[in-house]
């Protein structure tokens, strides 16, 4: 099959749950996209194949020689200045081989592209919460700092489920939690939860994390009617707000915009509770501008020497609807 010879950039957003890849023209138009399984090395044993396979699928029909830049935001990549560990940029290039691309490439932590996308390059704080989580600030001079550098970690989707399950197992029975209890028992295979969870613990660590995390949408959906679900979600929102408030004074802006990216962070039930936890502070939740894939595209375009002006941003926003 013949391939189109166009100038474009490649953008990747990859976490523990899934991988999204977009090919964007230099004016911001989306040319092609693909989705695949998660590419986070710490969450998935087939992470490298998942990410590179999704890149190949997005490139199908395009000549790789037209690629002008490649930017990937991947969970588990060490962030500049962080003490939290992860793959270095060089290790990431070796772990995720891209043999058909001769263009400049950059691998960064997925929170960095999430920040770029959520705030369209502005200073502020971003909450990334899905399979994993990070609270990241970028200041007016482009310096990055994460809440983990203050020994803080809020938690992601699976942590909401951990909390809810622990409360069900240890707290007094409340008829209002009957729906949640039934959903949890169904998810884990039966009413004898302790036995079921001990058996699950014999599985691989990544399988355990994924099994708990898969239940998070049900917990957040029931937070309006189940006291246990509400307390679990509110507890994580409070912990997340602590991370935001640790970082907000470092951004150099006032008020401080706070973006939310990720399956849990973007859930309305979580956002409401995070907003409650931030009430009265100078940190303000704002609508997400581009999302993480758009942030990766923003980064790739800049790497290719493209000025990302308002017209390009508008095309990126339009492209996010189809990616």
């Amino acid at each position: 099959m013949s391939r189109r010879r166009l100038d474009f950039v490649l953008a990747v957003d990859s976490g523990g749950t899934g991988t999204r890849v977009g090919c964007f023209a230099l004016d911001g138009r989306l040319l092609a996209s693909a989705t695949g399984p998660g590419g986070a090395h710490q969450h998935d044993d087939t992470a490298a194949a998942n990410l590179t396979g999704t890149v190949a699928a997005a490139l199908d029909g395009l000549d790789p020689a037209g690629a002008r830049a490649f930017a990937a935001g991947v969970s588990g990549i060490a962030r500049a200045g962080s003490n939290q560990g992860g793959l270095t940029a060089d290790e990431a290039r070796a772990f995720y081989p891209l043999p058909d691309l001769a263009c400049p490439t950059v691998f960064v932590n997925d929170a960095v592209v999430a920040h770029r996308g959520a705030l369209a390059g502005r200073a502020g704080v971003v909450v990334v919460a899905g399979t994993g989580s990070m609270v990241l600030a970028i200041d007016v001079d482009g310096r990055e700092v994460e809440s983990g550098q203050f020994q803080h970690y809020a938690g992601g989707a699976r942590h909401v489920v951990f909390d809810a399950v622990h409360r069900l197992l240890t707290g007094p029975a409340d008829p209002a939690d009957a729906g949640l209890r039934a959903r949890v028992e169904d998810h884990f295979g039966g009413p004898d939860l302790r036995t079921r969870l001990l058996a699950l613990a014999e599985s691989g660590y990544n399988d355990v994390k994924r099994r708990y995390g898969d239940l998070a949408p049900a917990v957040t959906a029931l937070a309006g009617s189940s006291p246990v679900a509400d307390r679990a979600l509110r507890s994580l929102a409070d912990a997340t707000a602590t991370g935001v408030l640790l970082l907000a004074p470092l951004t150099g802006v006032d008020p401080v915009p706070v973006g939310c990216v990720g399956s849990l962070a973007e859930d309305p039930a979580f956002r409401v509770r995070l907003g409650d936890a931030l009430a009265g502070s100078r940190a303000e939740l704002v609508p997400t501008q581009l999302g993480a894939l758009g942030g990766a595209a923003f980064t790739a375009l800049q790497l290719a020497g493209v000025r990302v002006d308002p017209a390009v941003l508008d095309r990126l926003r339009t492209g996010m609807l189809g990616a």
Side-chain angles (χ1 to χ4, degrees), residues 64-89:
R68 292 291 168 261
F70 171 94
V74 185
S75 175
I77 303 296
R79 191 192 53 73
S82 173
N83 60 357
Q84 303 305 304
L87 297 176
T88 66

Side-chain angles (χ1 to χ4, degrees), residues 3-321:
R3 292 186 166 189
R4 290 182 290 168
R5 179 64 167 84
L6 299 169
D7 288 340
F8 64 94
V9 298
L10 274 147
V12 177
D13 167 40
S14 190
T17 302
T19 297
R20 295 189 301 157
V21 180
C23 300
F24 295 85
L26 301 188
D27 64 0
R29 289 177 297 117
L30 177 67
L31 300 174
S33 64
T35 60
H41 72 93
Q42 76 278 26
H43 293 307
D44 200 309
D45 296 332
T46 58
N50 293 346
L51 188 148
T52 56
T54 310
V55 170
L59 280 170
D60 188 34
L62 289 172
D63 184 348
R68 292 291 168 261
F70 171 94
V74 185
S75 175
I77 303 296
R79 191 192 53 73
S82 173
N83 60 357
Q84 303 305 304
L87 297 176
T88 66
D90 287 341
E91 289 169 341
R93 290 187 185 93
F95 188 77
Y96 303 105
L98 303 165
D100 292 334
L101 298 179
C103 60
T105 64
V106 62
F107 283 88
V108 297
N109 189 276
D110 60 339
V112 176
V113 297
H115 195 294
R116 282 289 186 89
L119 302 181
R122 292 185 297 155
V125 178
V126 69
V127 172
V128 182
T131 303
S133 79
M134 182 182 288
V135 184
L136 175 71
I138 299 181
D139 72 10
V140 292
D141 295 317
R143 289 186 292 262
E144 303 170 7
V145 60
E146 68 192 55
S147 66
Q149 290 169 258
F150 291 95
Q151 313 312 314
H152 170 271
Y153 183 75
R158 68 185 184 277
H159 299 92
V160 171
V161 181
F162 292 161
D163 192 347
V165 169
H166 297 165
R167 291 175 190 269
L168 287 175
L169 288 173
T170 62
D174 185 332
D177 291 317
L180 176 65
R181 182 177 294 276
R183 185 67 184 85
V184 170
E185 290 176 352
D186 179 69
H187 182 77
F188 289 111
D192 189 355
L193 271 180
R194 282 183 171 82
T195 299
R196 303 283 179 175
L197 296 176
L198 285 173
L200 175 61
E202 299 297 321
S203 305
Y205 181 53
N206 287 334
D207 292 335
V208 173
K209 291 192 295 184
R210 190 174 298 109
R211 188 71 181 279
Y212 276 93
D214 286 346
L215 188 58
V219 175
T220 60
L222 289 167
S225 58
S226 162
V228 160
D230 174 62
R231 286 194 290 270
L233 193 57
R234 199 169 292 280
S235 176
L236 191 135
D238 289 345
T240 302
T242 296
V244 171
L245 296 175
L246 284 169
L247 301 179
L250 305 177
T251 61
V253 294
D254 185 17
V256 180
V258 180
C260 293
V261 177
S263 58
L264 177 64
E266 296 177 57
D267 188 291
F270 176 80
R271 281 183 61 95
V272 165
R273 288 160 178 78
L274 179 59
D276 290 345
L278 293 173
S281 75
R282 300 300 296 168
E284 299 180 352
L285 291 179
V286 298
T288 296
Q289 296 295 305
L290 298 173
L293 183 61
F298 190 111
T299 302
L301 287 167
Q302 289 190 321
L303 184 62
V306 175
R307 178 175 173 268
V308 184
D309 60 23
V312 173
L313 281 174
D314 283 343
R315 295 187 192 101
L316 288 176
R317 289 190 188 96
T318 300
M320 291 306 97
L321 300 176

